[in-house]
Amino acid sequence: MLRWIIFLAVFLIADYYAFQAFKTVVKNNWIHLLYWVITVLIIGNFVFQFYGFSRRNGLTHAHSYAVGLFIALLVPKMVLVLGVFFEDVFRVPQAIYRYFTVGEAAKGNYFASRRQFISKVALGVAAIPLASIIYGIYKGRYNYKVLKYTLHFEDLPAAFDGYKLTQISDIHSGSFDNMEKVKYAVDLINEQDSDVILFTGDIVNNKAEELVPYKTVFDKLKAKDGLYSVLGNHDYGDYVNWESDEAKHQNLEDLKALQKEIGFNLLLNESKYLEKNGERIALVGVENWGAGGFKTAGDLHKAAATIDKNDFKILMSHDPSHWEKKVIDDDYHYHLTLSGHTHGMQFGIEIPGWFKWSPVKWRYKYWAGIYKEMGQYINVNRGFGYLAFPGRIGIWPEITVIELKKGAEPV
């Protein structure tokens, strides 16, 4: 209870400070009232949804929208607060100086006009994140992008020269609220006409039942050499309070059965060969292995036990920290690893081919796109769905298409 009182007190103090900038520019009392009505409703809903909340009870759509609205309220107001605060920092010494050097009337006119100017600038700047957040919630979360890469390998079997794979990751079906948008994305995946479709984990938020309404959507996925999948940290049901261990176990079994009904071949620390014209490449799938407290059920050596060290290998591992901590230095050379997990934090700035940034880079060294270390590649997919915050800002939902080419990489 105390932490909520502190939270509300700090927020409302900061909010009142932001309101001073708003009031300086907007003079209408009815709009002032509307400002506080919206603020109280959004904060009240946030407190109502999360008071006593435990992540182990699971997130609902109501929780997600409470988070989205709260962020839409918080971020623009923090911009206002910072703008006015820094203006005050510079204004105090000026006020002291002008107190002794100019008349009272001149002082009042100067500071009033300056305050109004700074407030207008702060409001204009605050409108940018507000518009971005609204767009991210309204449209960004279903703004699917197909990202295409061509990777060259000198030891790729000749039969697989030009072989195409589509990777998707982090579906998080429990977050969806628009069936038609998901159907569109599935059609977009099929349009890529790849040889194989690989899904790298987190098909649900917590429970197998989340996938049931979308089973008849995802079972439309098609690829010549089939569909393969691995489990992500959310698929095990670890973030829910189950009534018994048996119920948790049954949930995982139900999830496995649903994946099979969709058409996925679920790889649980095991491998399969993809064959073409008498040649083959090894597809290795591990269970979730994540650094920093995430589940470490993945067993790379067990998964690769039935393949040869010299095989061309594609590894599916949900969490990119596995690649960093275990895979790169393994005795087996894993030519290409496919991961997800980070979502690119669903927020960032990207100029394709030039620049990408997200706060998640401070948590994960490899967080989005293609990386190469010691002659091995990893692609970290930005995710198909979304979690907690019901939107995406600058980091769009991703469908990855990778073409394998035999030969040296062009200079």
Side-chain angles (χ1 to χ4, degrees), residues 113-134:
S113 61
R114 179 180 173 86
R115 183 69 168 207
Q116 189 171 58
F117 172 75
I118 295 298
S119 297
K120 286 180 178 178
V121 171
L123 277 171
V125 173
I128 298 172
L130 177 61
S132 299
I133 293 167
I134 291 172

Side-chain angles (χ1 to χ4, degrees), residues 64-116:
S64 293
Y65 280 109
V67 170
L69 289 171
F70 180 72
I71 290 174
L73 178 77
L74 175 67
V75 175
K77 289 189 177 184
M78 288 302 100
V79 172
L80 274 179
V81 168
L82 289 174
V84 176
F85 173 76
F86 284 114
E87 194 268 340
D88 282 349
V89 168
F90 289 105
R91 194 166 67 147
V92 169
Q94 288 182 320
I96 295 171
Y97 171 77
R98 293 181 69 84
Y99 180 82
F100 294 103
T101 58
V102 300
E104 195 67 34
K107 283 187 292 186
N109 291 336
Y110 172 78
F111 287 120
S113 61
R114 179 180 173 86
R115 183 69 168 207
Q116 189 171 58

Side-chain angles (χ1 to χ4, degrees), residues 60 75 93 108 126 145 177 180 209 214 225 227 231 261 326 344 389 398:
T60 65
V75 175
K145 300 295 182 185
D177 60 4
E180 293 306 311
E209 64 190 39
Y214 294 93
D225 291 339
L227 286 63
L231 296 176
E261 290 175 31
K326 297 289 186 179
F389 174 65
E398 175 180 343

Side-chain angles (χ1 to χ4, degrees), residues 152 195 337 385:
H152 293 77
D195 296 284
T337 297

Side-chain angles (χ1 to χ4, degrees), residues 367-382:
W367 61 273
I370 296 283
Y371 302 87
K372 185 179 183 181
E373 299 281 356
M374 297 176 61
Q376 302 168 90
Y377 290 95
I378 185 174
N379 180 62
V380 184
N381 184 285
R382 293 159 180 82

Side-chain angles (χ1 to χ4, degrees), residues 168-224:
I168 53 175
S169 192
D170 298 89
I171 286 174
H172 288 287
S173 52
S175 296
F176 293 139
D177 60 4
N178 191 320
M179 184 76 73
E180 293 306 311
K181 294 291 186 182
V182 180
K183 288 180 179 178
Y184 162 77
V186 167
D187 289 341
L188 193 58
I189 293 168
N190 287 334
E191 284 174 15
Q192 307 313 309
D193 194 29
S194 289
D195 296 284
V196 67
I197 293 174
L198 306 176
F199 171 66
T200 47
D202 277 2
I203 202 165
V204 295
N205 293 343
N206 295 295
K207 297 181 178 181
E209 64 190 39
E210 300 166 16
L211 182 57
V212 173
Y214 294 93
K215 182 177 72 105
T216 56
V217 177
F218 288 111
D219 69 6
K220 302 298 187 297
L221 289 170
K222 296 291 182 288
K224 293 184 281 292

Side-chain angles (χ1 to χ4, degrees), residues 4 122 158 171 203 230 294 346 393:
W4 282 105
I171 286 174
I203 202 165
V230 294
F294 288 102
Q346 296 168 211
I393 304 168

Side-chain angles (χ1 to χ4, degrees), residues 71-370:
I71 290 174
L73 178 77
L74 175 67
V75 175
K77 289 189 177 184
M78 288 302 100
V79 172
L80 274 179
V81 168
L82 289 174
V84 176
F85 173 76
F86 284 114
E87 194 268 340
D88 282 349
V89 168
F90 289 105
R91 194 166 67 147
V92 169
Q94 288 182 320
I96 295 171
Y97 171 77
R98 293 181 69 84
Y99 180 82
F100 294 103
T101 58
V102 300
E104 195 67 34
K107 283 187 292 186
N109 291 336
Y110 172 78
F111 287 120
S113 61
R114 179 180 173 86
R115 183 69 168 207
Q116 189 171 58
F117 172 75
I118 295 298
S119 297
K120 286 180 178 178
V121 171
L123 277 171
V125 173
I128 298 172
L130 177 61
S132 299
I133 293 167
I134 291 172
Y135 178 85
I137 294 173
Y138 176 68
K139 196 160 186 176
R141 56 186 167 153
Y142 295 119
N143 186 24
Y144 297 101
K145 300 295 182 185
V146 177
L147 302 185
K148 297 184 177 183
Y149 303 98
T150 301
L151 302 181
H152 293 77
F153 304 91
E154 293 188 8
D155 57 346
L156 178 71
F160 288 87
D161 185 26
Y163 194 80
K164 284 202 311 180
L165 61 90
T166 289
Q167 180 200 1
I168 53 175
S169 192
D170 298 89
I171 286 174
H172 288 287
S173 52
S175 296
F176 293 139
D177 60 4
N178 191 320
M179 184 76 73
E180 293 306 311
K181 294 291 186 182
V182 180
K183 288 180 179 178
Y184 162 77
V186 167
D187 289 341
L188 193 58
I189 293 168
N190 287 334
E191 284 174 15
Q192 307 313 309
D193 194 29
S194 289
D195 296 284
V196 67
I197 293 174
L198 306 176
F199 171 66
T200 47
D202 277 2
I203 202 165
V204 295
N205 293 343
N206 295 295
K207 297 181 178 181
E209 64 190 39
E210 300 166 16
L211 182 57
V212 173
Y214 294 93
K215 182 177 72 105
T216 56
V217 177
F218 288 111
D219 69 6
K220 302 298 187 297
L221 289 170
K222 296 291 182 288
K224 293 184 281 292
D225 291 339
L227 286 63
Y228 293 86
S229 65
V230 294
L231 296 176
N233 56 298
H234 281 267
D235 295 323
Y236 296 90
D238 287 345
Y239 308 128
V240 174
N241 281 325
W242 298 97
E243 60 271 22
S244 65
D245 290 339
E246 290 75 17
K248 180 180 178 181
H249 174 75
Q250 187 59 51
N251 178 74
L252 182 56
E253 293 306 307
D254 291 343
L255 185 69
K256 293 176 183 177
L258 282 167
Q259 289 213 30
K260 185 175 182 180
E261 290 175 31
I262 287 171
F264 282 116
N265 296 287
L266 181 61
L267 301 179
L268 301 168
N269 292 327
E270 57 188 315
S271 57
K272 300 286 184 183
Y273 280 109
L274 301 175
E275 299 186 4
K276 189 174 183 180
N277 298 336
E279 296 185 293
R280 65 187 189 178
I281 61 177
L283 182 62
V284 183
V286 297
E287 295 195 49
N288 191 80
W289 193 104
F294 288 102
K295 196 177 192 75
T296 55
D299 188 331
L300 186 59
H301 293 156
K302 179 183 177 181
T306 60
I307 66 173
D308 190 271
K309 184 176 182 179
N310 296 317
D311 283 328
F312 185 94
K313 294 173 284 296
I314 297 175
L315 172 66
M316 300 168 65
S317 181
H318 177 70
D319 192 318
S321 65
H322 189 213
W323 192 68
E324 178 186 0
K325 304 294 184 182
K326 297 289 186 179
V327 177
I328 294 175
D329 296 321
D330 193 84
D331 288 340
Y332 276 32
H333 180 88
Y334 289 91
H335 298 74
L336 173 61
T337 297
L338 303 174
S339 297
H341 181 64
T342 72
H343 297 208
M345 203 175 168
Q346 296 168 211
F347 167 77
I349 302 170
E350 284 199 78
I351 304 173
W354 290 89
F355 177 81
K356 66 180 178 184
W357 176 89
S358 168
V360 79
K361 72 187 295 290
W362 298 322
R363 173 65 175 83
Y364 291 96
K365 182 177 180 180
Y366 309 101
W367 61 273
I370 296 283

